[in-house]
Amino acid sequence: MKVKVKVPATSANLGSGFDVAGLALTLYNTFTFELSEDGLNIKGCPEQFCNENNLTYQAFKRAAEVCGLEYQGVNIECSGEVPYTRGLGSSSTCIVAGIVGAFAFKDKVEERQEILELATSIEGHPDNVAPAMFGGMVVSIMDEGVSYHDIVNVKEGIKFVPMIPDFKLSTKEARAVLPKEISIKDGVYNVGRVALMVTALSNGKYDLLKFACKDAFHENYRSKLIKGFEEVKKEAYRVGALATYLSGAGPTIMAITSEKEEIFKSNIEKFLKEKSLNWAVHELSIDTQGAFIIEGEE
Ligand code: HSE
């Protein structure tokens, strides 16, 4: 029996929602698991990840222990569209898939809260794994070691346009540049804005998004690691973005535009080309399904 799991990309740190707000996007990675008697075999990802340290395998192994799955070996095949180390939740797709894959062999995929807890403990924060698991825009917190989340009903009318640099920025490196403490002033700045983000998205008050997306916790520090950050953001607003923010730990800059906006993508692509920035641009929507098992696979 094979288990095939499809997991959406995610955009965490949604505006002012550092470590707490993220959403799932219509860009996916797919993972196939097959138990074997022949050790670990991994296909479909760069050679340096085809070993015991593979994140999907690590998550699968940990989940197998938790759900009581016994196995001698496993074949894992990965494919997909989510770029590595770009701030679009590729590691969450690996973690969620590994856990869902193991749980599926024990018929336990409905135990979603347990899957979320496990995924959060591996990732270290819930803002990517929660939307990867449940789909939609998700606010998630940790309270005494337990994760709680709720899904925000985002009104129709917007799309998400990630502008993805051609260089990587690891979360570890991007977390290392953050201050250890924040001031009350910065705390209030973000608390107000993240609350506004939730109301603006659920009420469809999209003119408020440019204020709600401002952040005092991480963007200023991390932007210095991203060549072209300020000029791309400025141009994105000039050519029609409703809001922009650093997606996850970066380096991707996310633009939110009206769903009806037709020329934002081509305009920003033209600008990137003029500036010799070899970035990729996609137009995406919010994925509302989250991780799922592709049925009918044998
Ligand atoms: N909230 C996380 C961070 C997202 O900013 O470090 C990246 O994994």
Side-chain angles (χ1 to χ4, degrees), residues 50-66:
C50 294
N51 55 50
E52 291 256 336
N53 297 325
N54 179 284
L55 190 54
T56 310
Y57 173 63
Q58 286 294 322
F60 181 91
K61 190 172 147 191
R62 187 121 163 239
E65 284 160 17
V66 169

Side-chain angles (χ1 to χ4, degrees), residues 154-160 201 206 209 242 256-259:
V154 178
K155 271 250 163 89
E156 286 179 1
I158 47 172
K159 59 186 169 188
F160 291 79
L201 287 172
Y206 296 138
L209 287 179
L242 293 167
I256 306 176
T257 73
S258 160
E259 203 172 52

Side-chain angles (χ1 to χ4, degrees), residues 9-37:
T10 48
S11 180
N13 297 338
L14 184 48
S16 42
F18 179 73
D19 270 1
V20 298
L23 50 81
L25 293 163
T26 51
L27 192 73
Y28 302 90
N29 278 343
T30 303
F31 303 80
T32 306
F33 301 87
E34 183 177 29
L35 301 185
S36 81
E37 295 182 350

